[in-house]
Structure formats: C-alpha cells, structure tokens
Amino acid sequence: MAPKPKKQKNPGVKKEIKQDKNKEILPVGEEEEPINMESMGHPEIYPLVLTTKTQEIFNCRIDEDLTDEQPYKLLKKQDILADFSNRAAVSDFHPVKKIIQAYPGDEILLVYDKDFKYGLNFYIIATEEGKELYFNPPEVPEEQEEYKEFKELVPEDVFIYKPPCSKPWISLGSEKEIEEESVKESTKQITYMISRKRHEFGAPIKFSDQNASSVKDGYIECTAYPDRNFVIKQLEKDVGMQAIPQVMDTSTQTKWAYPKTAIMQYYPREFLEEEKEILKQSKPLADFLNNTSISVEIALQQNEITNTFIDDWKCLAEEEGTFGDKTDTHLKEYQSFTDLHNLTEKMVTCVSWHPHIYGLIAVSVAVRLSFEERVHFSGKLLLQPSLILFWSFSDPIHPQLMLESPEDIFCFKFCPSNPNIIAGGCINGQIVMWDITAHADRIENIKTGGTRTKKATLKPMFLLEPDMNKEEMYIRHCAVSSIENGHKKVITDIHWLPDTFEINRMGSVFENRSGICCQLVTCSSDCTVCFWDIRPLKTITPQPTDKKKEESIEIPSDIPTTFLHLDLSWKPLSKLKLSKGETSLDHCPTKISLSDDRLLYKTQDKALAENKAMRSGETNPYQNLESGLANMLKPIEDFCTKFFVGTEEGEVIYTDWKLERDPETGRLMTRKPVSLYSVHDSAVHDGAVHTIQRSPFYKDILLTVGGWNVAIWKENVMIGPLLQSCCAPKRYTAAHWSLTRPGVFYIGREDGYIDIWDLLEKTHEPAQSQNICITMITCIKPWTFSAKQQFIAIADYYGTLHILEIPWTLSHPSANEVLIVSHYFEREVKHLEYVRQRKEIREKEKKEMELEMEKKKIKTYQKTKEQLEAELKAEYERYLELEKSTLFGLGLFKVSDTLPFMEMM
C-alpha cells in the first residue's frame, strides 16, 4: 500500500509546478488578488497551492500528515506570519496575506482538497463561522441521505441536462376581463412649458405682497361658463357588496315640563353646643386635622411665595414693537462721517457718544505717522491743529464743535457727573481739559430729532435740517498738565473715578462729599499709572515776582477759566510703576479696568448731576471745590483697590493702587502685582492688549483682546481664561461688550471685518462676520438710545466714522439669557479646577515613577558579581529556548535532532 500514495502525490506536485510556471509575474509592489469561491456559494473558502517545501514546514504533507480520515489541519496564525517575514512573496500563503492578517482567531483551518473541488490541492477557511460549520455540519434528513447514496452510485456521466422548452400561450378569455376593469385616460393631457432667461438662473428670489389693482394684469377673474364640447359620460361599473346585519336607528325625546315660578327660603345649619363638644372630642376629627394640617400649611406658604396672578403666557411672549425683521442679524449702515475740510491723512483714535444728547458723537483724530516720521515732520505738524470733532446726525459734512489740543489726542472721556467737562490724553504724555459749557445750548438745540421723542427718532434723514450756522466752532483747551511731571510717552487710556469716592496720595479710599467726579486715572507706555486731582489745593504757596507778572496778563475771552489753576502746573496725585518682580524691568500698560468702571451713562441722572454742580458753586463749581487732602474725610472700609492692567507684551495683570512704605528706606513704593493672569506661565495674547473691559452684566467677568485671539476671565480665578479663542485670520484691533445682551461682544479686525460673538450660539468661533470697511478698524463703541433703537460706532484707519444700526436679534436678549450665560461661566470655572487637579495628579504620578526608576538603578548597582553572572546566564538560557522553539516551528530541524543540537550549543 506504500507506493499508492506516492502515485497520488506526484500528479499533485506536477500540477503545482505547471501552475507555478503559468503563473503571471506581478510587478514589485503589487499583490495578487486571492481567489474566492463566492460564485460557488462559499465566500469563506480561498483555494491555495502548497508546494512540498511548504508542506514540510507546516507538517501538512499529503498522505502522511493529512489523510482521507483527517484531511485538515489547524495552523497557527503566528507561524504563517513568521513565514511571511522569512520568505516574503515566495511564501505560498502570500496570495491570501491580507485575509490571514485580518483573521480574528489564532488558528486557521487548512483543508486538503483531494478531488480538486475548488480547483487547487488545498484551501483555507477564512471565517470562524465557516470553521465551526466544517467541524459541526448540519444534520441531513434520512431521505436526503438515501438520495445522496443513490446519487453516488449513479455515475455522473449518465446525467444529461435538458433546458425547459417554451410552450405557446393559450388564451382562455382572462385578458378581456382585465381590459374591461382597467382605467383608461379619456381626456388629452395638457402640457405646459415654463422658461426663464439664462442670466436669471440662480438669482435670489424675494416674495412680497402688493395690491393687485395697482399692477397691470395683476388681477384676472375666472368665471364659470358651460362648455358644450366637454361632456362627462357616466360609465357603468360592476361593484361588489358585502351583506351586513340590519341596522336600526332609534331616538328618544325627553318630556318638556312647563316652567313654574317657585320661592324657597334657606338658612345655614348650625351645630348645637352639645354637638360641638362631641365633635371636638371625637377622634376621627382630630386625626383628620393632624393629617391635613401639614399640606394646608404648605399650600398657604406657596400662595405667599408664588404670585398666582402672574400671566405665564405673557412672560413667555416676546416684544412685538421692533424695527425691522427678527431674522435679520446683520448690522445696517445708518450714517457715516468724514472730515472733508481737513485734507491731511488722519485716523480716528478714540470715539465717545455724548451721554445725554441724541445723535451727537465725538471722535479724536491723529496723523497716520510713525515715531520716526513724526520726528522728521515735526515742524509741519506744529502748524496743523490737533482736534476732537463733534459730529451730529443732522449734518454729516460739518462738525458741530472742534476742540483744539496742543498734540494729537489718543484717548478722551466725558465726565460722568458733568458731560460738559472733557479730559483727554496726548501723544506727548500731557492731559488736556476742556469746558464746553458755553456751547452747551448750541449743541443741545441741534435739529437732529434729538428731542428724545419717538416721532423725532423715526424722522427721515432728508427732512433733518442742518444747523444754519456753518461757521466752524474751534474751542481751545482750559488747562494742560505739566510736561515735566506727567507721563513721558503717549497716554493709552484714561478713566474718571466715580463720584462716590476719592483717593489720597497713599491710595487709601475716602468718601466724596462733593458728589462730583474730580479725579482721573491714566496709563502710558512709559510703564506708569498716574492718578490726577482736578481740584485746587487749599493752601496756596506764595508765587515768585516773575510769575505774578505773568498772572497779570489778560486771558483771552474765548478760553474758559474753569481749570486755570491747573494750567501747566498740574501734577499727578500719585504715580505707580508696575515692576516685574525680581527683575529690574517694568510692565508697559496699554489699557486699565477699574473695579467700579462705568460703561453706561444714564440719561435720567442728568438733572441730578447738574444739581450737584450747582450746589457746589454757582459760577465755577470746580474752583470752589476743596481738595480732599486738606479735609478730614471718612475712610471707606472693605473697598477693593485692585484693578486690571493690559500690557504691550500681551499680559493681563491684577494689581493694587495702594502704596506701601519700604521698611529700609521709608519711601513710598508701588506694590508688586498681586497676580499675573496667564496660561502655563505665559501670556495668553500674542500681541499688545488693546481692550480690557468688564462685562456690564457681571462685575467679575472681564473681556481682553490682543494680538490674534480673545479671552474671557473671571476675577480671582488665576488658573486660566474661561474662554480663549483660536488665532483669527487677521489681527484684532478693537472690541466692546454688547450693552443689552450679556453673551454678545463685537471685535474689529485689521482687514475691516467685525466679528460678532454670541455665546448662546457658538463658543469656539464668531457667530458671524461682516465687512464694514477696507482698512483697519481702530475703535468700536455701541450706544443704546431706546429699547427699540441701538447704534454702534465703528471708526477706521482712514478717518471715517461708520454709524450702524444693531438688528433686533443682537439687541434684545432672550428669556433668562443673563442666568444662562452665568451658568456657562460657572461651568467653565469648574472645568478649569478639574483640569488643575488632574494636572497635579499627573505631576505626582510622574514624580513617583521617577523615584521608582531611581530605586531600581540603585538596586542594580548594589548587586554582587555572582548575582550579575547568574542573571546573565539565565537570560542566555531563555534566549536558547526561544531560538529552539522558533527553529522547530519553522521546520528547520526535527525532534530527533534536538538533543545533538543542544549538546552542540
């Protein structure tokens, strides 16, 4: 019986050799697609050709390892992968390499195909379900088994396939019934062709209502009339019905009785005294009162707490009276102002709405020159006036007032208690004061529709008559600070301190008895923050004789004497230097934000401010004010003297304006910054901070903008910003909070676009972007005139002031928006705290791992020479065992060769 298997083996080998010869040689880098038996109903079977070498490696030799009784073998997936790495494309399993790599199990079933059922001598099953089905085939009924045995006895050559033959169709009359029951169209179909011009394809469509009578052929009446050519013919059809039980309708009618007049007298039933005593002593009544007293008490408390008469539907409704469509979210151009009389190229540096007069806005302009260019053209610049222009909605061409300044103004503010007083900061570090009280009647009587009535607000612009007096009104400044004792560089920000408090030279806070804003705070790029007092000192030192001669010089009549006592002698009350701590360098501030910074001017406080000014003095209230240094004022306890500062390096500093004495020298020194708001000890902004502003709805929420990103901070949360945007496509140049919506703020870019952020819609990117101009936006200032009309002023680098109307969606907050945004900030604070805790845990784990590594190193150094040799020997023995198992798995030597091989090793 030995020669017989060899006869069966040789043809298989010859067939393999023939197939290898006829096999196409694929280019390098291309893999041969595996042959799948999906066409035969077995998609899990992949035929293979295994050569004698492969059969010896995997111990699957025909008639030796694989027989008729056991024609299969389970191959380990790792052995096949190792064969790929050893023989690469020469491996017989290479055509199904991807199938084997994607196989989920550890053992792959290899089956010997003796009868070449699938075309080759072997095949693999590439699924676990197919392998399970091969080992456990489904049970076949006895009839099918008998038929299968009978089929095996009959030779295959006897069966002859006969295709079915088509027979002619014989009609039995059914097509007539179908034709009678079918529905056919009796009327001719009408075809309409609608055409359109090619250039109108894709054009936007706007639907609107119009009066049909005002448009030609807009109304066509279609009256009914009989058409003899069109007659409906009734056709008879066979309809089947199903019989149902008989149904009867019955009804009843009540008897109606005649009404009769009757009178009835009733009286309340009252318990007798004996019955009352019995009820009081009854147990059911006591149990009832004990059970219901708690629920009745809760109901009474709810009635006291909750307003039961409130209309819930009215609270859910939104305000109907609005300007424009609620779906409109874009800013609409309302008006623009450009100084046509001054041909010098200037840019707008600061914008401020007048607190009380509608349609009046002030802007400061400066020449667009660098520092080197200013030095070069200094002679020409002295001949050009530096101005603050007052624009009115009624006259977009002629400024109403022009305030003169010795140098270009980069920031200015109206006095909150008296809007006729204006303070500004110059490029050379001086502070300039103006008093426009003499011209207050002129600007208040401007016909801008600013009588603060609804009719005036809705008046069209072409009906607004400009002021008849076109004469340019130049107003000179009242006072200028001392250039020697003030700032040395440009003043970047200026603020009025509120009229509720004042500070002394030490920075201590006292009450303000006058009720008038009389102190200023400024910051400059010379690394200082200065506090100023506009009141004269009580004790005046004797003047030298030469100065007395100067005082005898007559003052021009057009210059107000309000702040004459400050002119050229005004010194700061206190000066702060923002040091960087251990180094000798200082922070360079660009913007500041006080804890009680007023963002809104209330029009209803105008009369109160005027009464305060009149109470302090009839002619000049500021000259009659006494300096707070000369009076014993009551200090204010628990007042927050800390404020935020934005620097040129992009840092946000939280510092204190109180001074402290040096214990060694006794001199007054500025306190070190309390904290530096940063992320991972680095600045959040990658450029100078040009906006640092508190939210008008949350006192502890701060918006900072600088460089290419935006950040929102929470006071006393030093971990990091609550929100930090990614880098914008263009550098940010200006920003401002919305005055009516807590989750909205506006940011201007250097390419003329304005980004509108809405935290209720998106928190990772702007809700929308809108183009305003073609150059850099320098300033943004919104203003609320009424609940129905809000404006936003946007200034650009070319000196144009754009006034835009804010749409309904950006001006009216949604229900509970303040609470929703507050919850969002609270969640962000919790998220920052969680991140900080996780960071501490990770750092602790890292330190523990480093300690363990050091301990292991120490242990290895402390081992003896014998221990090291024993470890090396054990490691070498493990390597020999691994090599032996690998060679044995590859079939490079047999089990009988193991002992001599080990002895040789």
Side-chain angles (χ1 to χ4, degrees):
M1 294 299 293
K4 191 176 181 179
K6 292 182 180 179
K7 290 180 181 179
Q8 294 178 358
K9 184 177 178 181
N10 293 333
V13 176
K14 290 180 181 178
K15 197 170 186 179
E16 292 169 7
I17 296 168
K18 288 181 181 180
Q19 288 180 0
D20 289 341
K21 288 181 179 179
N22 298 330
K23 202 174 185 180
E24 293 181 2
I25 300 173
L26 296 175
V28 179
E30 296 186 4
E31 294 185 358
E32 185 179 352
E33 294 184 0
I35 302 172
N36 193 299
M37 292 293 107
E38 187 174 2
S39 59
M40 297 180 65
H42 298 284
E44 73 279 1
I45 292 177
Y46 294 88
L48 288 174
V49 175
L50 298 186
T51 60
T52 309
K53 181 66 177 177
T54 304
Q55 295 177 14
E56 292 177 357
I57 292 174
F58 289 91
N59 295 329
C60 56
R61 290 165 293 190
I62 299 173
D63 293 336
E64 293 183 10
D65 300 317
L66 300 179
T67 59
D68 295 340
E69 291 79 12
Q70 189 177 357
Y72 63 86
K73 185 172 183 179
L74 293 173
L75 303 181
K76 291 185 179 180
K77 180 180 177 181
Q78 295 297 331
D79 296 344
I80 301 176
L81 295 178
D83 188 54
F84 288 155
S85 60
N86 292 334
R87 298 198 296 170
V90 182
S91 176
D92 294 337
F93 290 97
H94 189 268
V96 291
K97 181 179 180 180
K98 292 184 178 180
I99 307 299
I100 293 173
Q101 290 178 347
Y103 187 73
D106 296 332
E107 293 182 343
I108 301 174
L109 181 61
L110 178 68
V111 182
Y112 169 52
D113 193 358
K114 179 180 178 181
D115 300 327
F116 292 92
K117 183 179 180 181
Y118 299 109
L120 301 177
N121 60 348
F122 285 92
Y123 65 89
I124 63 168
I125 299 178
T127 60
E128 290 287 337
E129 293 80 3
K131 184 171 69 174
E132 186 67 24
L133 189 63
Y134 181 83
F135 287 122
N136 301 315
E139 295 181 359
V140 182
E142 294 180 359
E143 297 177 357
Q144 294 185 7
E145 289 182 358
E146 292 177 358
Y147 175 76
K148 188 175 181 181
E149 293 175 357
F150 174 77
K151 193 175 180 181
E152 290 177 355
L153 295 175
V154 178
E156 295 181 358
D157 299 334
V158 177
F159 177 79
I160 299 173
Y161 172 76
K162 293 181 179 180
C165 298
S166 59
K167 298 179 182 180
W169 180 70
I170 301 172
S171 175
L172 300 178
S174 59
E175 71 276 2
K176 295 181 180 180
E177 296 180 1
I178 295 172
E179 185 176 358
E180 290 176 357
E181 294 295 334
S182 62
V183 179
K184 297 181 180 179
E185 295 182 358
S186 59
T187 59
K188 186 179 180 181
Q189 292 183 352
I190 302 174
T191 305
Y192 291 94
M193 184 180 71
I194 301 173
S195 62
R196 195 177 190 183
K197 294 181 180 179
R198 185 175 182 84
H199 69 273
E200 295 180 356
F201 286 172
I205 301 173
K206 293 184 179 179
F207 297 98
S208 60
D209 298 333
Q210 63 181 4
N211 192 358
S213 60
S214 61
V215 182
K216 185 180 179 181
D217 299 333
Y219 175 73
I220 299 175
E221 184 178 2
C222 299
T223 57
Y225 64 93
D227 188 1
R228 298 179 180 179
N229 298 324
F230 182 76
V231 180
I232 299 175
K233 295 181 180 180
Q234 296 183 355
L235 301 178
E236 294 182 359
K237 293 184 178 181
D238 295 335
V239 180
M241 297 179 64
Q242 179 69 33
I244 59 172
Q246 187 177 0
V247 180
M248 295 178 64
D249 293 335
T250 58
S251 61
T252 59
Q253 180 67 34
T254 57
K255 292 182 180 181
W256 179 71
Y258 292 97
K260 294 181 180 179
T261 305
I263 298 174
M264 180 177 170
Q265 181 69 31
Y266 67 92
Y267 62 92
R269 179 184 176 186
E270 296 181 356
F271 289 103
L272 300 176
E273 295 296 331
E274 297 178 356
E275 294 176 346
K276 291 180 180 178
E277 293 295 332
I278 294 172
L279 287 174
K280 288 180 181 179
Q281 296 176 1
S282 63
K283 186 178 180 182
L285 179 61
D287 296 339
F288 171 76
L289 294 177
N290 292 331
N291 295 332
T292 58
S293 59
I294 298 174
S295 58
V296 172
E297 184 179 355
I298 294 172
L300 293 175
Q301 291 176 357
Q302 291 177 350
N303 291 338
E304 291 294 330
I305 296 172
T306 308
N307 185 7
T308 57
F309 300 100
I310 192 170
D311 189 356
D312 296 332
W313 297 107
K314 188 175 181 180
C315 295
L316 292 173
E318 297 176 347
E319 188 178 358
E320 295 295 335
T322 59
F323 282 83
D325 190 5
K326 296 181 182 180
T327 59
D328 189 9
T329 59
H330 288 78
L331 303 174
K332 297 180 180 179
E333 184 79 23
Y334 188 81
Q335 206 167 21
S336 62
F337 301 96
T338 305
D339 188 10
L340 302 177
H341 303 283
N342 195 348
L343 300 178
T344 309
E345 295 182 352
K346 292 189 176 183
M347 65 176 180
V348 178
T349 56
C350 187
V351 177
S352 183
W353 293 85
H354 195 282
H356 302 149
I357 301 175
Y358 167 74
L360 190 65
I361 185 170
V363 297
S364 60
V365 292
V367 182
R368 299 197 302 265
L369 295 176
S370 62
F371 180 76
E372 292 78 6
E373 292 173 342
R374 283 181 177 272
V375 173
H376 182 69
F377 298 105
S378 58
K380 295 181 180 180
L381 294 177
L382 292 175
L383 302 177
Q384 299 176 2
S386 300
L387 303 173
I388 293 180
L389 307 177
F390 279 72
W391 294 102
S392 174
F393 284 178
S394 66
D395 191 356
I397 300 177
H398 303 89
Q400 303 302 317
L401 294 177
M402 287 183 283
L403 308 184
E404 290 184 339
S405 172
E407 292 289 344
D408 288 343
I409 299 294
F410 273 75
C411 57
F412 70 93
K413 286 289 176 65
F414 287 95
C415 180
S417 58
N418 186 5
N420 294 326
I421 305 299
I422 303 169
C426 296
I427 191 174
N428 62 348
Q430 289 181 296
I431 296 181
V432 187
M433 300 291 295
W434 292 273
D435 186 3
I436 59 173
T437 306
H439 309 277
D441 296 336
R442 183 178 186 275
I443 59 177
E444 286 181 0
N445 295 329
I446 296 173
K447 296 180 181 180
T448 60
T451 56
R452 288 185 286 277
T453 61
K454 294 182 179 179
K455 293 182 180 179
T457 305
L458 299 174
K459 184 182 289 186
M461 291 303 300
F462 59 85
L463 295 179
L464 298 179
E465 298 178 2
D467 197 349
M468 297 302 295
N469 185 14
K470 296 299 180 182
E471 183 181 355
E472 296 178 348
M473 295 293 297
Y474 287 94
I475 301 175
R476 295 188 62 183
H477 54 271
C478 299
V480 180
S481 64
S482 172
I483 196 170
E484 296 87 1
N485 301 314
H487 292 288
K488 306 302 179 184
K489 294 184 179 180
V490 57
I491 297 176
T492 55
D493 201 5
I494 185 171
H495 292 268
W496 287 89
L497 291 184
D499 56 3
T500 56
F501 69 91
E502 60 181 80
I503 66 171
N504 60 3
R505 297 182 184 277
M506 294 287 294
S508 301
V509 183
F510 298 89
E511 62 177 355
N512 189 351
R513 294 178 181 176
S514 63
I516 297 177
C517 297
C518 53
Q519 289 185 340
L520 293 162
V521 56
T522 59
C523 69
S524 173
S525 55
D526 61 353
C527 305
T528 59
V529 176
C530 294
F531 288 84
W532 308 77
D533 199 320
I534 63 175
R535 298 170 295 186
L537 295 176
K538 188 175 183 180
T539 57
I540 303 175
T541 57
Q543 301 275 344
T545 56
D546 55 350
K547 289 195 175 182
K548 288 183 179 179
K549 293 180 181 179
E550 293 178 2
E551 289 178 359
S552 63
I553 300 174
E554 293 184 1
I555 302 172
S557 59
D558 59 340
I559 299 178
T561 61
T562 310
F563 302 105
L564 186 62
H565 58 280
L566 300 176
D567 195 19
L568 298 176
S569 62
W570 194 12
K571 300 179 182 179
L573 181 66
S574 63
K575 185 180 291 187
L576 309 179
K577 266 195 171 292
L578 305 177
S579 62
K580 288 190 176 181
E582 298 178 355
T583 62
S584 60
L585 302 176
D586 297 329
H587 291 286
C588 187
T590 55
K591 295 292 179 180
I592 58 177
S593 176
L594 304 177
S595 59
D596 195 12
D597 193 7
R598 291 190 176 185
L599 297 176
L600 305 176
Y601 290 91
K602 298 181 180 179
T603 56
Q604 60 267 25
D605 295 342
K606 179 183 178 183
L608 182 61
E610 292 177 352
N611 292 335
K612 288 182 180 180
M614 292 298 293
R615 213 179 296 126
S616 301
E618 296 180 358
T619 57
N620 192 350
Y622 291 94
Q623 284 186 352
N624 296 331
L625 288 176
E626 296 180 353
S627 176
L629 301 177
N631 298 329
M632 296 299 294
L633 298 178
K634 181 180 178 182
I636 300 177
E637 302 293 339
D638 299 332
F639 190 90
C640 181
T641 59
K642 300 179 179 62
F643 63 101
F644 284 91
V645 180
T647 66
E648 285 187 353
E649 294 82 8
E651 298 172 332
V652 180
I653 303 171
Y654 191 54
T655 186
D656 198 337
W657 70 54
K658 276 189 176 182
L659 301 178
E660 59 182 3
R661 292 191 180 274
D662 190 0
E664 298 179 358
T665 61
R667 296 180 180 178
L668 294 176
M669 296 178 59
T670 308
R671 296 185 179 183
K672 296 179 181 179
V674 176
S675 59
L676 179 66
Y677 282 66
S678 62
V679 178
H680 306 301
D681 299 331
S682 62
V684 173
H685 302 289
D686 45 11
V689 177
H690 55 74
T691 300
I692 179 166
Q693 189 183 92
R694 289 180 181 268
S695 171
F697 298 91
Y698 314 101
K699 292 293 183 66
D700 55 348
I701 298 299
L702 200 76
L703 172 68
T704 61
V705 179
W708 279 264
N709 59 353
V710 186
I712 296 179
W713 308 81
K714 185 178 178 65
E715 193 172 2
N716 298 324
V717 177
M718 317 294 182
I719 310 171
L722 305 184
L723 183 146
Q724 182 180 0
S725 68
C726 59
C727 290
K730 294 292 181 179
R731 184 168 56 91
Y732 288 143
T733 55
H736 204 286
W737 282 103
S738 172
L739 302 182
T740 54
R741 288 196 56 188
V744 175
F745 52 91
Y746 310 94
I747 303 176
R749 302 191 322 211
E750 64 178 355
D751 58 351
Y753 278 80
I754 183 170
D755 290 344
I756 304 174
W757 286 70
D758 190 350
L759 299 181
L760 293 185
E761 185 176 349
K762 296 179 181 179
T763 57
H764 65 285
E765 63 180 1
Q768 59 175 317
S769 296
Q770 183 176 347
N771 181 258
I772 305 299
C773 53
I774 61 173
T775 183
M776 178 177 67
I777 294 175
T778 58
C779 190
I780 297 176
K781 191 74 67 173
W783 185 251
T784 302
F785 171 65
S786 65
K788 296 181 180 180
Q789 193 173 29
Q790 297 182 22
F791 298 104
I792 183 170
I794 301 176
D796 62 15
Y797 188 68
Y798 287 164
T800 304
L801 179 65
H802 306 267
I803 306 296
L804 297 99
E805 192 170 1
I806 301 176
W808 188 91
T809 54
L810 297 177
S811 59
H812 289 70
S814 60
N816 301 325
E817 182 172 348
V818 178
L819 188 62
I820 293 171
V821 178
S822 177
H823 288 337
Y824 165 72
F825 290 144
E826 292 175 1
R827 291 195 302 270
E828 292 300 321
V829 172
K830 293 179 181 178
H831 174 70
L832 288 175
E833 184 64 25
Y834 171 76
V835 172
R836 184 188 63 81
Q837 293 177 0
R838 296 301 302 172
K839 185 178 179 182
E840 292 178 356
I841 293 172
R842 296 302 181 194
E843 289 179 353
K844 187 177 179 181
E845 292 177 352
K846 185 178 179 181
K847 290 180 180 179
E848 292 178 354
M849 292 175 63
E850 290 177 355
L851 290 175
E852 290 180 358
M853 293 294 294
E854 291 179 358
K855 290 180 180 178
K856 288 181 178 180
K857 289 180 180 179
I858 293 171
K859 288 182 179 179
T860 55
Y861 293 148
Q862 292 177 353
K863 291 180 180 179
T864 60
K865 186 177 180 180
E866 291 78 8
Q867 292 176 346
L868 293 174
E869 290 179 355
E871 290 180 357
L872 291 174
K873 187 176 180 180
E875 186 178 357
Y876 182 66
E877 290 177 355
R878 288 195 298 270
Y879 170 74
L880 293 178
E881 290 293 333
L882 178 61
E883 185 180 14
K884 169 192 168 184
S885 59
T886 304
L887 295 175
F888 182 75
L890 295 174
L892 298 179
F893 66 94
K894 299 179 181 179
V895 182
S896 59
D897 300 336
T898 304
L899 185 59
F901 176 76
M902 292 299 297
E903 291 178 356
M904 180 180 65
M905 294 298 292

